[in-house]
Amino acid sequence: MLFRKKITRSCEYCLYGSRIQDTQVLCVKKGLRSETAGCHKFKYDPLKRIPPRRKAVDFSKYDSEDFSL
């Protein structure tokens, strides 16, 4: 999603929007909006994107012999 050509218009990733609550964005152009709303003034800002966290590695399937030399 970071460098795709077609990005879903969402105030969450817009240059003009600033998050003020968990689900609300304050837009310079349109005012108070929900984070999923979009408009024709949308301009993508990749620095506002928060990537999903990676899953923790499950070490339970390994034993101590796997970590010894």
Side-chain angles (χ1 to χ4, degrees), residues 53-62 67:
R53 300 195 91 165
R54 295 178 120 189
K55 291 183 180 178
V57 179
D58 183 23
F59 290 110
S60 64
K61 59 184 175 185
Y62 301 110
F67 296 103

Side-chain angles (χ1 to χ4, degrees), residues 1-50:
M1 178 172 177
L2 187 60
F3 297 110
R4 286 190 306 178
K5 295 289 182 188
K6 290 190 176 186
I7 296 169
T8 306
R9 292 178 179 216
S10 173
C11 290
E12 184 177 18
Y13 305 128
C14 184
L15 178 68
Y16 303 115
S18 300
R19 183 180 297 274
I20 58 172
Q21 289 181 353
D22 290 342
T23 60
Q24 293 185 336
V25 175
L26 184 62
C27 179
V28 174
K29 304 285 184 178
K30 297 287 185 171
L32 190 61
R33 315 265 302 180
S34 72
E35 67 181 7
T36 57
C39 66
H40 66 280
K41 297 283 187 180
F42 176 79
K43 188 167 185 180
Y44 180 61
D45 185 7
L47 298 178
K48 290 189 178 181
R49 181 181 166 269
I50 301 171

